[in-house]
Amino acid sequence: MTSRFSPAAVKMAIRRLAIGHQFALRTYVPSRPVPNFPAAIQALQEEFTDRGMVSTDPSELFAYAQSSYSQVPGYPHTVVVHVRDTEDVVKVVNISRRHLVPVVPYSGGTSLEGNLSAPPSGSICIDLSGMDKILAINDSDADVVCQAGVTWNNLNETLKEKGFHLFAYCVSLDPGRDATIGGMISTGCSGTNAVKYGTARGEWILNATVVLPSGEVIKTRQRARKSSAGFDLTKLFIGAEGTLGIVTEGNYSASGTFAPTRVAVAQFPDIRQATNAVCDILNHGAAIQCVEIIDELSIKVLNTFGTSAKKWPEKATLFFKFQGSEDAIRDTSQFVERSISKHGATDFRLAADEQEGEDIWQDRRNALFAGLAYRPGCKGWITDVCVPVSRLPDLIQAAKKDFEELGLVAPIAGHVGDGNFHALVLYQDEAELALVREAVSRINRKAIELEGTCTGEHGVGTGKRDYLLSELGEGTVELMKTIKKTMDPDNLFNPGKLYPESVSVRNASTATVVTRR
């Protein structure tokens, strides 16, 4: 494969890999057997003889440990295995267990919180991206069965091309482009459509096929739309980030049809009034598919980006999507326009048709790329916090104050309908990166203080695990660890992710404060 990384990055990967193995040998408890990487690699090469299935190419070891957007760099893997089906995954897991070598699953590579990297000791990366088949489309029952490497956008396109009257929920999740079924389940993802359709933790995932640390393969339940047969094991693996089992297939129920959608937009004097308007609308039961918030800086950034046919007023802006019949869209639009006028809204505009709506919504999609282009040469750190909707103005106001105090540029966009927002915090060098980390820490702590979460949809990985104790409490975290130890006693499945270390920071308020001089 052609590496996306420079020779210098690959050399650094090799050095980090060597350091990682040395670190592992120093830190493992003497009485515990040391992972046998040479024997594991030899066993993998003997098991998978097809050319290219087993790779120790340094560029691949590094590439499969990082996301294209990763803000939490990690160690490279020791070996990558490109699997084709569930049986291949079982073979890798059995070799892993025999030689006590950790495994880390990879599918789409779009995660942000260090979910993909190896532990310091090294690991086998199980690349599921080649498992990209749609196994069944059950039109009469409105559900689909997919391998873990199928991307939500490809599934969407396939359903449309085949003319099936399905609106698959995995499509309506609307996560990042090229997110895969396996990754979506493993991180409990969601996206702009969560207002109407909820998240990956809802009832839409009928079952999952999972390879356990023991090498056993289970299907978490049958294909029926509901079941009272025991507790819901499917949800045990949703959000577990591959630490309890490796999801190889998912069975999704579908909802409705590809109903017409219309986009509307309105400006507000400030974020608080815009958010209050959304609370008012939702509390009156308006049928809204999406409602997104963009702050005044993001609007300025979009105008500067220059891809939009329109120059937007530089104010806090709400983007709406209404879905349904023409009559339903008209009624909802009129209700929303009346409601938001009480909160200072101006320039309410309903797109004339779906094409105009698509053009308007494209501006919302461009927020990330416009932000990165705003300061040429900069990188961006994407935050992900979620609070009760009524507390969102408090959180955004606190974040803006922190950005100003630290001298950071950070456009804000978010899924205001469910209290989730993202700031793209820009930085050019290590000094600014230190300030960014401080700002992100403050935002995470503030979200938890406001009865929210440090991660609305991106998962925990290594980037957020130290916040779990303050968010969930020691008893809940210890129960999670107990489940992990029971299912994976050798800690071989994606170790170092999700679960806080025993010496985690228990009082987030003790974090060092960094200020710009």
Side-chain angles (χ1 to χ4, degrees):
M1 77 180 255
T2 301
S3 175
R4 295 173 291 158
F5 302 94
S6 66
V10 173
K11 289 180 182 178
M12 178 62 72
I14 297 171
R15 288 198 295 270
R16 293 177 76 185
L17 180 60
I19 293 169
H21 283 299
Q22 294 170 12
F23 175 85
L25 293 173
R26 289 198 306 269
T27 57
Y28 266 85
V29 177
S31 60
R32 180 180 176 180
V34 175
N36 192 337
F37 284 94
I41 293 173
Q42 182 179 347
L44 290 169
Q45 291 170 335
E46 291 172 354
E47 182 66 56
F48 300 102
T49 56
D50 288 358
R51 181 178 176 83
M53 283 194 70
V54 179
S55 174
T56 55
D57 182 327
S59 63
E60 286 199 56
L61 303 182
F62 183 79
Y64 282 87
Q66 318 294 327
S67 162
S68 299
Y69 309 102
S70 183
Q71 51 212 25
V72 186
Y75 293 98
H77 301 291
T78 310
V79 59
V80 177
V81 184
H82 305 286
V83 296
R84 300 158 297 192
D85 52 33
T86 300
E87 184 179 348
D88 282 352
V89 176
V90 171
K91 292 175 181 177
V92 177
V93 167
N94 286 337
I95 290 171
S96 155
R97 190 176 64 257
R98 191 182 315 141
H99 299 288
L100 292 177
V101 173
V103 293
V104 178
Y106 174 102
S107 54
T110 61
S111 61
L112 294 167
E113 296 295 346
N115 315 68
L116 306 172
S117 61
S121 64
S123 60
I124 302 169
C125 174
I126 302 180
D127 171 28
L128 302 155
S129 62
M131 294 178 58
D132 57 358
K133 295 181 179 62
I134 299 173
L135 301 176
I137 300 176
N138 302 308
D139 195 27
S140 298
D141 295 319
D143 69 75
V144 294
V145 182
C146 305
Q147 288 184 314
V150 173
T151 64
W152 72 273
N153 38 292
N154 284 343
L155 176 59
N156 184 21
E157 291 161 7
T158 299
L159 293 175
K160 287 182 177 179
E161 288 170 3
K162 292 184 177 295
F164 287 97
H165 301 295
L166 297 179
F167 186 44
Y169 180 70
C170 52
V171 177
S172 65
L173 277 171
D174 193 26
R177 186 168 181 83
D178 293 326
T180 63
I181 300 305
M184 290 159 63
I185 293 174
S186 295
T187 57
C189 82
S190 61
T192 61
N193 291 331
V195 176
K196 181 173 182 179
Y197 293 102
T199 75
R201 297 176 185 271
E203 294 297 318
W204 302 91
I205 302 172
L206 295 177
N207 62 61
T209 299
V210 184
V211 179
L212 300 178
S214 64
E216 182 182 359
V217 179
I218 65 167
K219 188 168 78 170
T220 54
R221 53 178 260 194
Q222 295 278 44
R223 201 161 58 85
R225 285 298 181 107
K226 65 179 183 178
S227 171
S228 293
F231 49 85
D232 191 346
L233 279 179
T234 307
K235 286 187 171 60
L236 182 65
F237 298 99
I238 297 175
E241 301 186 17
T243 63
L244 302 179
I246 297 172
V247 175
T248 60
E249 296 175 15
N251 182 192
Y252 297 82
S253 62
S255 174
T257 62
F258 291 98
T261 299
R262 196 74 60 82
V263 169
V265 63
Q267 283 77 42
F268 292 80
D270 55 46
I271 289 286
R272 184 171 296 277
Q273 290 187 72
T275 307
N276 288 341
V278 172
C279 289
D280 192 8
I281 293 165
L282 296 178
N283 289 339
H284 282 85
I288 294 174
Q289 179 184 343
C290 307
V291 54
E292 297 286 289
I293 195 164
I294 306 286
D295 76 343
E296 59 277 8
L297 177 56
S298 289
I299 294 295
K300 179 180 180 180
V301 164
L302 284 168
N303 286 337
T304 304
F305 195 47
T307 57
S308 175
K310 179 178 174 58
K311 287 288 185 182
W312 297 101
E314 292 181 6
K315 298 180 178 180
T317 301
L318 292 180
F319 289 75
F320 297 91
K321 273 188 182 180
F322 309 132
Q323 188 179 53
S325 67
E326 288 299 322
D327 287 345
I329 288 174
R330 183 189 63 249
D331 291 346
T332 301
S333 172
Q334 291 174 352
F335 171 77
V336 167
E337 184 175 11
R338 289 194 305 270
S339 297
I340 65 177
S341 65
K342 305 171 189 174
H343 300 276
T346 58
D347 302 320
F348 178 84
R349 177 183 175 188
L350 179 67
D353 52 38
E354 289 201 32
Q355 184 56 56
E356 184 184 4
E358 177 63 25
D359 293 341
I360 293 173
W361 203 261
Q362 189 60 45
D363 285 344
R364 167 63 185 94
R365 294 194 189 100
N366 284 338
L368 171 62
F369 309 106
L372 291 171
Y374 187 62
R375 290 182 67 196
C378 277
K379 296 180 180 180
W381 187 302
I382 304 172
T383 69
D384 172 46
V385 286
C386 186
V387 292
V389 179
S390 65
R391 310 303 297 271
L392 188 60
D394 299 327
L395 182 59
I396 293 179
Q397 184 176 348
K400 283 178 168 290
K401 180 180 178 182
D402 289 335
F403 296 144
E404 182 178 359
E405 177 184 326
L406 296 169
L408 296 168
V409 176
I412 288 174
H415 318 314
V416 64
D418 52 27
N420 185 201
F421 93 86
H422 310 292
L424 178 66
V425 195
L426 302 175
Y427 63 95
Q428 282 188 312
D429 52 35
E430 289 297 319
E432 285 193 335
L433 179 56
L435 297 172
V436 170
R437 290 196 175 105
E438 169 61 20
V440 171
S441 176
R442 292 185 191 183
I443 292 170
N444 291 338
R445 286 179 280 141
K446 186 65 175 179
I448 294 168
E449 178 188 320
L450 295 173
E451 300 180 274
T453 176
C454 65
T455 175
E457 51 189 23
H458 293 168
V460 176
T462 58
K464 296 287 183 70
R465 63 180 183 166
D466 285 340
Y467 298 96
L468 258 63
L469 277 171
S470 57
E471 178 175 330
L472 300 178
E474 186 172 357
T476 300
V477 170
E478 287 304 314
L479 179 57
M480 290 169 59
K481 288 182 176 182
T482 299
I483 294 170
K484 166 70 171 172
K485 290 173 185 175
T486 302
M487 296 182 65
D488 183 18
D490 293 316
N491 192 28
L492 297 179
F493 270 38
N494 212 7
K497 317 295 168 47
L498 184 59
Y499 311 93
E501 299 290 347
S502 299
V503 292
S504 293
V505 178
R506 296 185 181 235
N507 186 350
S509 64
T510 62
T512 301
V513 175
V514 182
T515 57
R516 181 184 287 274
R517 296 184 182 275

